[in-house]
């Protein structure tokens, strides 16, 4: 009895001195063995702080850097799956119903092929093995083999204006603009799993929070943003709310998450700038004026800058993530209509479509100097630069993490 009492007293002293908690449920989620995330706010639906690490979407690859969701996108850090894919650029010509394929090194069109009606964006699949052309009016997707740069047989899909993927890779998200829906489909066969109506008009772009649970979508025609909880645990997706942007004539376009996961940046073509949104509280945090017709958003390879294409004035604004201010404005000599695109794998060139000028622009991503104008078809739009660094794709023209 004395030995048992002594053992109990010794155990109590050890716990008191070390502050150890024997309960595994109370382990610090920031310690090894748990998934780090990118913010520090209290846990809750869509929260991205260390306190909510266990709430990350199951099946989503672990965050590489707790301070930067784009840490896997550094120059040359190509996934083994894409390391031998040819360095090409795929330009969907919406009015020509074609895709122009351009060699990044020679800057020449090496191939052009027909698609369905009104191809809008070329989108890398979650597993990086297929590039999908969204033929909006043709109600189809054209697959491209990125190893050869050649198209395959079309897949019938209703209204694929844009295409994204859930961070766990389990669903493709077809943005059905004219149908006012987000259609969740099998990421390979594109079989419909859930059609989610959204309470707005002209839904067209989105991005996902760092924990992979919440999507923020823009609605161009009604000037709104929509917050959506993505499917998980056998539960389907659902709309959590809608927010109307202040003022008149608002036309939100592209959406991008900040590297630290704290804010969504939303380009507003009508307001001529970028809105800053807290994706968790779903409240606006400010507005940064960039230029007339602010449209596309591209993150630099070092995660320090956001390139904003001002389609209405032929310029590109460079926004600092650190200061949330415009630090440079690059104007295309002779004008232009910069739209969507991406950065080369080495981070040196910014490639953008010239929506109303039948051109593809190559811009020095450090100085803003125009390197080349390459003639393409009519109405070039969602350009895909391939290959790109990163582990998996969330869609659009190449949102990789």
């Amino acid at each position: 009895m004395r030995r048992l009492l002594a053992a109990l007293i010794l155990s109590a002293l050890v716990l008191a001195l070390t502050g150890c908690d024997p309960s595994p449920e109370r382990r610090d989620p920031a310690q090894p063995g748990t998934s780090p995330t990118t913010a520090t706010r209290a846990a809750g639906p869509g929260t991205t702080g260390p306190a909510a690490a266990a709430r990350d979407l199951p099946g989503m690859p672990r965050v590489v850097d707790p301070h930067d969701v784009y840490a896997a996108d550094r120059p040359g850090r190509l996934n083994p799956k894409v390391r031998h894919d040819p360095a090409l650029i795929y330009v969907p010509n919406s009015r020509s119903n074609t895709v122009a394929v351009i060699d990044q090194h020679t800057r020449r069109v090496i191939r052009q092929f027909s698609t369905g009606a009104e191809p809008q964006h070329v989108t890398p699949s979650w597993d990086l093995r297929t590039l999908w052309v969204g033929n909006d009016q043709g109600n189809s997707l054209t697959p491209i083999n990125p190893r050869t740069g050649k198209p395959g047989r079309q897949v019938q899909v209703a209204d694929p204006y844009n295409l994204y993927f859930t961070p766990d890779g389990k669903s493709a998200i077809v943005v059905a603009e004219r149908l006012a829906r987000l259609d969740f489909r099998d990421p390979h066969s594109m079989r419909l799993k859930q059609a989610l109506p959204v309470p707005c008009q002209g839904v067209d772009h989105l991005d996902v929070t760092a924990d992979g649970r919440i999507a923020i979508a823009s609605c161009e025609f009604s000037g709104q943003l929509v917050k959506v909880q993505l499917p998980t645990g056998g539960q389907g997706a659902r709309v959590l709310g809608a927010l109307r942007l202040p003022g008149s004539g608002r036309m939100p376009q592209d959406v991008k998450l900040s590297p630290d996961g704290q804010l969504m940046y939303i380009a507003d073509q009508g307001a001529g700038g970028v809105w800053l949104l807290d994706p968790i509280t779903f409240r606006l945090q400010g507005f940064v004026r960039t230029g007339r017709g602010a449209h596309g958003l591209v993150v630099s390879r070092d995660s320090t800058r956001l390139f904003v294409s001002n389609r209405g004035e032929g310029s590109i604004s460079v926004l600092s993530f650190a200061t949330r201010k415009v630090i440079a404005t690059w104007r295309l000599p002779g004008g232009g209509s910069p739209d969507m695109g991406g950065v080369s794998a080495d981070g040196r060139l910014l490639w953008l479509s010239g929506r109303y000028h039948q051109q593809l622009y190559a811009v020095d991503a450090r100085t803003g100097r125009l390197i080349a104008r390459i003639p393409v078809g009519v109405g070039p739009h969602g350009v895909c630069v391939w290959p790109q660094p990163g582990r998996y794709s969330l869609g659009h023209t190449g949102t990789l993490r």
Side-chain angles (χ1 to χ4, degrees), residues 217-296:
S218 63
C219 298
E220 177 179 0
F221 304 142
S222 57
Q224 292 174 281
L225 304 175
V226 173
K227 183 177 182 178
V228 175
Q229 182 170 299
L230 296 177
T232 183
Q235 300 296 317
R238 62 190 180 99
V239 173
L240 299 178
L243 173 67
R244 188 174 298 278
L245 294 173
S248 60
R250 301 312 185 211
M251 298 179 69
Q253 307 289 322
D254 207 3
V255 182
K256 280 289 183 296
L257 183 67
S258 63
D260 63 7
Q262 296 283 344
L263 295 172
M264 289 284 185
Y265 287 76
I266 297 103
D268 189 331
Q269 186 170 295
V274 178
W275 295 99
L276 281 59
L277 175 82
D278 184 318
I280 308 308
T281 65
F282 204 40
R283 293 179 179 176
L284 294 173
Q285 302 298 306
F287 178 79
V288 179
R289 189 168 298 282
T290 59
R292 186 159 45 92
H295 193 84

Side-chain angles (χ1 to χ4, degrees), residues 227-397:
K227 183 177 182 178
V228 175
Q229 182 170 299
L230 296 177
T232 183
Q235 300 296 317
R238 62 190 180 99
V239 173
L240 299 178
L243 173 67
R244 188 174 298 278
L245 294 173
S248 60
R250 301 312 185 211
M251 298 179 69
Q253 307 289 322
D254 207 3
V255 182
K256 280 289 183 296
L257 183 67
S258 63
D260 63 7
Q262 296 283 344
L263 295 172
M264 289 284 185
Y265 287 76
I266 297 103
D268 189 331
Q269 186 170 295
V274 178
W275 295 99
L276 281 59
L277 175 82
D278 184 318
I280 308 308
T281 65
F282 204 40
R283 293 179 179 176
L284 294 173
Q285 302 298 306
F287 178 79
V288 179
R289 189 168 298 282
T290 59
R292 186 159 45 92
H295 193 84
L297 304 175
V298 179
V299 178
S300 65
R301 285 275 170 248
D302 60 4
S303 303
T304 63
R305 297 167 296 157
L306 181 69
F307 302 115
V308 184
S309 61
N310 304 308
R311 193 172 75 183
E313 67 176 39
S315 73
I316 301 160
S317 295
V318 184
L319 192 151
S320 166
F321 282 119
T323 65
R324 301 176 185 173
K325 295 180 180 180
V326 174
I327 57 175
T329 299
W330 302 333
R331 299 190 180 278
L332 297 174
S337 50
D339 199 290
M340 296 288 177
V343 180
S344 58
D346 61 11
R348 295 180 179 178
L349 288 181
L350 171 65
W351 297 88
L352 296 170
S353 59
R355 188 70 173 273
Y356 305 127
H357 290 76
Q358 298 179 227
Q359 293 176 331
L360 176 71
Y361 310 124
V363 177
D364 189 306
R366 295 161 295 183
T367 68
R369 183 171 67 93
L370 180 64
I371 303 298
R373 292 177 184 261
I374 304 170
V376 291
V378 182
H381 191 194
V383 170
C384 180
V385 181
W386 197 256
Q388 295 185 32
R391 301 169 298 161
Y392 63 98
S393 167
L394 289 177
H396 191 35
T397 59

Side-chain angles (χ1 to χ4, degrees), residues 17-80:
L17 290 172
T18 62
C20 177
D21 186 343
S23 171
E25 287 76 20
R26 297 181 63 180
R27 179 195 298 172
D28 181 355
Q31 295 301 313
T34 61
S35 174
T37 50
T38 62
T40 56
R41 285 169 284 182
T47 298
T48 57
R55 299 175 184 240
D56 285 357
L57 186 70
M60 181 183 80
R62 291 169 59 102
V63 177
V64 172
D65 183 334
H67 306 292
D68 184 2
V69 297
Y70 304 111
D73 299 352
R74 292 294 180 264
R77 196 174 293 181
L78 296 175
N79 189 300

Side-chain angles (χ1 to χ4, degrees), residues 130-174:
T130 305
L131 305 178
W132 293 101
V133 185
N135 308 312
D136 191 19
Q137 292 297 323
N139 295 308
S140 66
L141 294 171
T142 301
I144 300 173
N145 183 340
R147 294 174 293 280
T148 65
K150 296 181 179 180
R153 181 177 298 179
Q154 290 184 7
V155 178
Q156 294 304 302
V157 171
D159 191 17
Y161 172 79
N162 216 332
L163 179 64
Y164 293 85
F165 295 87
T166 56
D168 58 6
K170 293 182 179 179
S171 295
I173 309 173
V174 170

Side-chain angles (χ1 to χ4, degrees), residues 177-197:
E177 184 183 62
R178 69 176 180 272
L179 299 176
R181 294 191 327 225
L182 295 177
D183 287 347
F184 292 81
R185 295 177 174 272
D186 181 278
H188 304 290
S189 69
M190 293 297 165
R191 178 183 58 83
L192 183 64
K193 298 195 291 185
Q194 179 190 2
L196 179 70

